[in-house]
Amino acid sequence: MYSDAQLSQPHPSRIYDYYLGGKDNYEVDRLAAAEILEAWPHIRTAARVNRRFMHRSIQFLAESGIRQFLDIGTGIPTEPNLHQIAQQVAPAAKVVYVDNDPLVLTHARALMTGNEQGAIAYLQGDVTEPSAILQAVQRNRTLDLSQPIALSMMALLHYIDHSVDDVMATFVEALAPGSYLAICTITADFAPEQVNAAQEIYRVRKLPAQARGRDEVTGWFAGLDLVEPGVVPPHRWRRAEIAEVPASYDAKVSCYCAVGRKL
Ligand SMILES: C[S@@+](CC[C@H](N)C(=O)[O-])C[C@H]1O[C@@H](n2cnc3c(N)ncnc32)[C@H](O)[C@@H]1O
């Protein structure tokens, strides 16, 4: 499946698959992951908590009536996948998965199929080119962008090493009223030494990496109504037992997440 060139360079999606205990990773990915784990020993916790936020937020959105999902930065399939969460609540929910890595899409097409009612489509696209993604989604016709959708970007935006303010504004502008934006991304606010050290390892290996501050993440939700509890670490988003989580856990997870609704 992979060429020699693809196996000589670690891939973000395969490193992440390794953190999550998956099998779709190679020696080159595990070596990079080992180095990153030394700098930030809790990155596996961050990956798992991000994944659980995806489950809770997508369930919340499906229960809120959303039936169309556009997920950018899909990653190598890990059960349960986004469409399984959405279609458990609403079997007719439609999902379009987008990733810029063709190898991820090959894995995804092979492993993820819809049910009798809910359609799934896969598109290659780069989140930094929002107009191209939106046009491809329109051409694909699985989703109707004149109706509300949920746009999700889970564990994606920390791979873009420049401002995405304009990118996010373009996506938000294109959303129909009643749509939602759901994001989870890495921050250095709680454990700057560890997260910055891990970020440096990514960059040395020519993998883009950029942790984000709370204000920057909040800015991406400009013009949207933030769902309570706003921009928070993902283990603090709509969890009943939240009082039991110690503050030190925020440093382990080192991510921000939020969900916002376009009025
Ligand atoms: C860490 S995985 C996240 C997987 C899944 N969303 C989750 O939260 O479990 C990040 C994915 O983003 C993709 N990605 C990285 N840069 C991207 C870009 N510029 N545009 C689209 N996808 C990108 C990678 O190929 C990878 O599959």
Side-chain angles (χ1 to χ4, degrees):
M1 182 173 191
Y2 293 99
S3 67
D4 287 351
Q6 285 157 343
L7 288 177
S8 65
Q9 166 74 9
H11 267 232
S13 54
R14 297 192 315 230
I15 295 175
Y16 181 73
D17 176 72
Y18 175 70
Y19 296 151
L20 288 174
K23 301 212 173 345
D24 294 307
N25 50 75
Y26 293 85
E27 188 65 13
V28 66
D29 308 307
R30 295 190 282 273
L31 286 173
E35 219 181 311
I36 295 157
L37 277 162
E38 208 165 304
W40 179 9
H42 304 296
I43 198 164
R44 274 204 169 101
T45 305
R48 287 194 207 106
V49 172
N50 162 72
R51 203 69 205 167
R52 287 201 287 269
F53 166 71
M54 184 277 275
H55 300 167
R56 285 203 310 289
S57 57
I58 297 302
Q59 181 172 347
F60 165 83
L61 294 169
E63 286 172 354
S64 302
I66 293 292
R67 297 293 178 262
Q68 308 193 95
F69 295 82
L70 175 57
D71 180 55
I72 307 181
T74 298
I76 293 169
T78 304
E79 301 251 338
N81 292 290
L82 186 147
H83 69 280
Q84 293 167 312
I85 305 279
Q87 291 176 349
Q88 205 163 22
V89 178
K94 294 173 181 171
V95 180
V96 171
Y97 286 117
V98 180
D99 204 287
N100 71 341
D101 184 344
L103 299 168
V104 165
L105 294 173
T106 305
H107 274 288
R109 281 194 189 99
L111 293 176
M112 300 200 276
T113 51
N115 59 23
E116 280 171 20
Q117 299 173 56
I120 301 181
Y122 304 93
L123 304 175
Q124 191 177 341
D126 193 307
V127 70
T128 60
E129 294 165 5
S131 302
I133 289 185
L134 291 163
Q135 283 165 19
V137 172
Q138 247 154 1
R139 279 196 305 272
N140 172 267
R141 290 173 180 269
T142 301
L143 305 184
D144 175 359
L145 294 182
S146 70
Q147 297 300 313
I149 68 163
L151 171 60
S152 57
M153 299 180 188
M154 306 292 176
L156 165 67
L157 294 170
H158 46 246
Y159 294 116
I160 314 301
D161 58 6
H162 54 80
S163 168
V164 291
D165 292 356
D166 290 349
V167 165
M168 297 313 297
T170 305
F171 275 118
V172 168
E173 167 78 26
L175 295 176
S179 295
Y180 287 87
L181 174 67
I183 282 176
C184 191
T185 197
I186 288 176
T187 183
D189 284 4
F190 304 108
E193 261 183 45
Q194 292 187 346
V195 173
N196 288 331
Q199 178 172 283
E200 200 45 39
I201 294 167
Y202 269 87
R203 288 177 175 173
V204 166
R205 289 183 175 268
K206 300 197 173 28
L207 301 170
Q210 182 62 59
R212 313 281 175 175
R214 193 170 186 280
D215 287 350
E216 189 173 2
V217 175
T218 306
W220 299 337
F221 289 82
L224 301 181
D225 203 13
L226 274 174
V227 172
E228 284 298 322
V231 179
V232 292
H235 48 281
R236 298 188 179 280
W237 195 86
R238 298 179 85 86
R239 287 258 313 270
E241 68 276 27
I242 194 61
E244 295 158 25
V245 180
S248 59
Y249 200 68
D250 295 348
K252 288 187 180 166
V253 174
S254 284
C255 289
Y256 281 126
C257 74
V259 176
R261 183 170 188 266
K262 188 163 177 179
L263 297 175

